[in-house]
Amino acid sequence: CVPMATDIVAQLADSLAKTGVEEGELSYKGQGRKLDDAQSVEEIVKEIQDFEGLQALRLEGNTIGVEAAQAIAKALETKSEFKCCYWSDMFTGRLRSEIPPALNSLGDALMLAGARLTVLDLSDNAFGPDGVKGIENLLKSTACYTLQELRLNNCGMGIGGGKILAASLSQCHKKSSAEGAPLSLKVFVAGRNRLENDGATALAQAFQLMGSLEEVHMPQNGINHPGVTALATAMQHNTGLRILNLNDNTFTEKGAIAMAQALKHLRSIQVINFGDCLVRPAGAIAIAESVSEGLPILKELNLSFGEITEEAALAVAQAVKDKDQLEKLDLNGNCLGEDGCKALKDSMEGMNMGELLGSLSDDEGEPEDDDEDDDEDEEEYDDEVDEEELEEEEEEEEEEESSGVKLSTPASAPRPPDVSSFLSFPSPDKLLKLGSKRALLIEQQVDVSDAAKTAEAFLKIASVYKEENNDVKNAVLDSIDALLKKAFATPSFQGYNFVSSLLVLLGLLKSEDKVKPVLVVPGHLHTLEHVVRQDYFPKENVAVLEAFMSR
């Protein structure tokens, strides 16, 4: 008989997982095992016990309960040569409350064993601030004095988790320094953690103490200029930094100018990713100046989607002129206009670097001139991009900002489109005018921890869907995907409440609170059909929707 294609794929995945095994390493990577209790891990425990000189354990891509973790931990207690924890994505489907005790028992075992860790990878475990508490003791212990790589990508740490992490790293640095071997972390990864300004600022202090970082990856954290400025200050003390990735945070000019200052101290830097960071023309020009003055071994510079205009983009191109190791310059999605794109390509080709310039296919076109309300626009936009802070804080900020000295912006700054006006009175045209960052802007405007508000926003965006207009259709689906991906990835988000709010608003379910159903349009149904087929949409919620929709 012919084996099923899925079996072949599974075997292939299995053999690939096995081939990646390093010396001294035991790997159960990607086996999709559901390990709940001591019995389920008997075989793993035995293999750990029998493995002389175990240095690394890969558990990623399985799901481990508290009791299973305790049994594995027990087996690790004698492994004094242990160095590398590859433990990303190992709590899928677990309750948040199960994760800290599981991590605590594993951490205690490593401390007891006298292990000296070099790698701790817990990415893609949605453990929130409490999960960070689960590794707090480990991070402060002698087991982590030797840590070189800390990977906590996409863990939902939030501001609280960021602060606990920063305090633990600072403490570890202090204690290890007292013993004459200061913690010198080289790689720090914490993208997609909603660290925001306070979390980023706390971590910046720890980075400044260590001064040993070579790679920092903190994309998508809702950090604005105060947090970016704190990170910039810290980076000046990490002179061996090679890779700095802060993609998709909101620098604005203030943050970008602070970052440009920091770059003057970083001669080893090879990769700078400030894409989607809204560096704006003034920020780009400041960065260009630092690039041209230093950074001799720069390989990649990404300033895409930053509202950069032609003049600033040409300054960036000139700045990379003598960078003989440059491999890529990305200025896509800015505001160059057709002539600007041509001028930029010509400039790069004139330096024999044409092939290093990335695509410019998403250019937003030249900004329209409107001098008058320029300063106000700036402020409105700064507030809008700020994560959902309390409105009072926003008002205070506005007062401070308007009394403070505003950096002058070029008269040609584009008028920022308004998300709240789109959500109040949706129209296809308004959605398109939000530009290529619309999904992000909408996602930041909607409070995804509130299932009912998320449902309302969903129906408003979906209402402008047009089957026959591809631009509108894609804009709607991209925005919805981003919104719901973020919602379902937010630990406090209640999927069932979201679905029931949708059903109430669509008039398919009676509600206690006299909610007035919306006028159902084809777009609502088309969009729903799309989302139920997406990976982020939990299967159990699909069933509920289907039951009602088929009536």
Side-chain angles (χ1 to χ4, degrees), residues 465-533:
Y465 179 98
K466 280 194 165 67
E467 186 60 52
E468 67 285 357
N469 180 332
N470 267 341
D471 287 348
V472 174
K473 178 173 154 180
N474 292 336
V476 167
L477 297 182
D478 289 350
S479 305
I480 293 279
D481 283 343
L483 178 66
L484 293 190
K485 239 186 218 151
K486 176 174 172 186
F488 282 113
T490 300
S492 56
F493 182 71
Q494 316 249 301
Y496 280 117
N497 291 1
F498 168 72
V499 171
S500 54
S501 302
L502 271 185
L503 293 168
V504 168
L505 289 164
L506 291 166
L508 295 168
L509 195 60
K510 287 270 184 295
S511 133
E512 314 296 305
D513 320 323
K514 300 272 180 293
V515 173
K516 196 166 160 277
V518 298
L519 175 67
V520 180
V521 293
H524 289 144
L525 305 176
H526 283 303
T527 312
L528 272 172
E529 272 175 24
H530 164 81
V531 299
V532 296
R533 290 200 300 271

Side-chain angles (χ1 to χ4, degrees), residues 270-343:
Q270 295 176 327
V271 177
I272 298 173
N273 184 343
F274 298 161
D276 249 330
C277 285
L278 206 66
V279 298
R280 301 206 174 123
I285 286 172
I287 291 168
E289 190 180 309
S290 296
V291 169
S292 63
E293 289 172 12
L295 316 195
I297 55 174
L298 187 68
K299 283 186 177 168
E300 262 183 57
L301 176 59
N302 180 346
L303 295 175
S304 57
F305 299 95
E307 287 190 0
I308 298 172
T309 49
E310 175 181 352
E311 179 194 5
L314 290 172
V316 172
Q318 278 307 309
V320 298
K321 186 163 113 185
D322 299 319
K323 308 294 164 205
D324 48 12
Q325 298 194 25
L326 192 75
E327 290 166 15
K328 182 163 190 198
L329 172 63
D330 190 346
L331 288 166
N332 201 5
N334 283 303
C335 305
L336 308 182
E338 226 170 289
D339 295 346
C341 287
K342 186 178 180 317

Side-chain angles (χ1 to χ4, degrees), residues 15-87:
S15 58
L16 281 174
K18 287 199 174 109
T19 52
V21 178
E22 300 280 321
E23 199 185 346
E25 175 176 298
L26 196 48
S27 175
Y28 302 95
K29 180 178 177 176
Q31 298 185 3
R33 301 192 194 189
K34 191 169 188 310
L35 307 167
D36 294 329
D37 49 22
Q39 199 187 338
S40 64
V41 291
E42 272 174 2
E43 171 203 346
I44 294 181
V45 165
K46 179 144 179 34
E47 290 184 355
I48 292 174
Q49 286 167 340
D50 295 346
F51 199 120
E52 287 293 313
L54 179 67
Q55 294 183 11
L57 179 62
R58 288 190 177 270
L59 294 171
E60 59 262 67
N62 299 289
T63 173
I64 297 174
V66 177
E67 216 184 290
Q70 286 164 345
I72 291 173
K74 189 89 190 105
L76 287 172
E77 285 177 3
T78 57
K79 303 294 171 188
S80 58
E81 294 175 44
F82 196 79
K83 291 195 177 100
C84 304
C85 310
Y86 296 108
W87 296 347

Side-chain angles (χ1 to χ4, degrees), residues 197 200-201 204-205 208 225-235:
N197 289 332
T201 303
Q205 290 167 342
Q208 188 158 332
H225 67 81
V228 170
T229 303
L231 286 170
T233 304
M235 289 313 142

Side-chain angles (χ1 to χ4, degrees), residues 73 80 111 167 214 535:
S80 58
M111 294 190 271
E214 293 177 11
D535 289 345

